[in-house]
Amino acid sequence: MKNILLLIGLLVGLRCLGQTPGQQRFSSSAWAGAVFQSLNAALLVDPQNGHYITAERLGPGASLGIAAQWQLLPGLQFRPALGLGYSANTIRFWSADGEEERRQYSFADILVPVHFVLSNSLQHLPVRALILFGGQLSWNLVRTPATAPLQLLPERLGLDIGLGAGFVCGKWSVQPEVLYSFGVNNVHEFTNGAYDWAAGRLVRDQLCLRVLLTRRH
């Protein structure tokens, strides 16, 4: 118990030492942006019936949400967030006799990103350089129709890294960011369907261009 209390005290002390006089320790933000998603597939050809699939690379979409930011140390923030995102991708299914079927898969996601933000003021410029890293968990609210040739899982886990800039515009802090989210988990749900043996691992990678707005106190 003493060791636990000592650890808690040490963490609190580090946070206090990391604050400079007049520095805002907590802030909230809102964001909106454009999303470009790809379904990266380890595609196979079914040796039994000759089926195969191809996935179109990029599907456009959008996201918005809110974020809370805590200043942990000078130049380091902790930023959990909650948001909504929408994107869509098209998969083309080819049967052994050459017939093609195009199916659009929609993703209306609840987003839970958790990021750390490193910042550094640029000399002679009223701009801060930002580096973001962390991860996000999302859940697709659109269920794949039972008639779809391929079933997809709703959950997605991504590892995120990004770059941004921060500057002040009146009473607002504006932060444009470019964020890449690397899909970790396989979203292909194997149901022993006609095309399951032609589709290997499917992951959802995303590129997000967004802007965060924070009201300054």
Side-chain angles (χ1 to χ4, degrees):
M1 178 63 71
K2 290 182 179 180
N3 292 334
I4 295 176
L5 293 176
L6 179 60
L7 179 60
I8 294 175
L10 179 61
L11 292 175
V12 173
L14 286 175
R15 289 190 59 181
C16 292
L17 289 174
Q19 304 297 330
T20 57
Q23 188 177 43
Q24 186 177 337
R25 298 184 180 184
F26 172 81
S27 62
S28 58
S29 305
W31 95 77
V35 176
F36 302 92
Q37 178 175 265
S38 64
L39 282 177
N40 293 320
L43 302 179
L44 308 171
V45 177
D46 186 349
Q48 183 174 359
N49 55 31
H51 290 351
Y52 69 95
I53 70 173
T54 59
E56 295 185 0
R57 298 295 296 176
L58 288 179
S63 67
L64 55 85
I66 55 176
Q69 300 175 124
W70 281 272
Q71 194 77 34
L72 301 181
L73 295 169
L76 177 63
Q77 288 183 332
F78 174 64
R79 183 203 289 170
L82 180 65
L84 297 173
Y86 177 83
S87 58
N89 290 90
T90 300
I91 298 179
R92 302 168 67 184
F93 298 88
W94 303 82
S95 62
D97 55 7
E99 293 187 1
E100 176 190 1
E101 178 183 352
R102 296 169 62 93
R103 172 75 64 161
Q104 179 173 286
Y105 288 82
S106 298
F107 304 91
D109 294 319
I110 296 177
L111 309 172
V112 186
V114 178
H115 296 142
F116 291 92
V117 183
L118 292 171
S119 63
N120 184 31
S121 297
L122 299 179
Q123 293 184 354
H124 310 298
L125 291 176
V127 178
R128 290 181 300 116
L130 306 173
I131 298 177
L132 300 85
F133 60 94
Q136 64 175 295
L137 178 66
S138 64
W139 188 273
N140 184 18
L141 299 177
V142 179
R143 298 188 63 179
T144 306
T147 57
L150 202 66
Q151 298 294 313
L152 301 184
L153 296 170
E155 65 270 18
R156 175 186 180 273
L157 177 63
L159 296 178
D160 299 353
I161 188 167
L163 298 173
F167 59 92
V168 174
C169 182
K171 294 184 178 181
W172 296 91
S173 174
V174 182
Q175 293 183 190
E177 298 176 349
V178 179
L179 185 69
Y180 180 74
S181 182
F182 176 77
V184 175
N185 65 307
N186 181 15
V187 299
H188 175 202
E189 181 179 9
F190 189 88
T191 60
N192 202 26
Y195 285 91
D196 275 316
W197 295 100
R201 179 180 172 84
L202 283 170
V203 295
R204 297 169 55 192
D205 293 341
Q206 295 178 343
L207 177 66
C208 183
L209 310 176
R210 65 184 187 179
V211 176
L212 275 80
L213 293 177
T214 305
R215 185 174 179 85
R216 302 176 67 229
H217 297 286

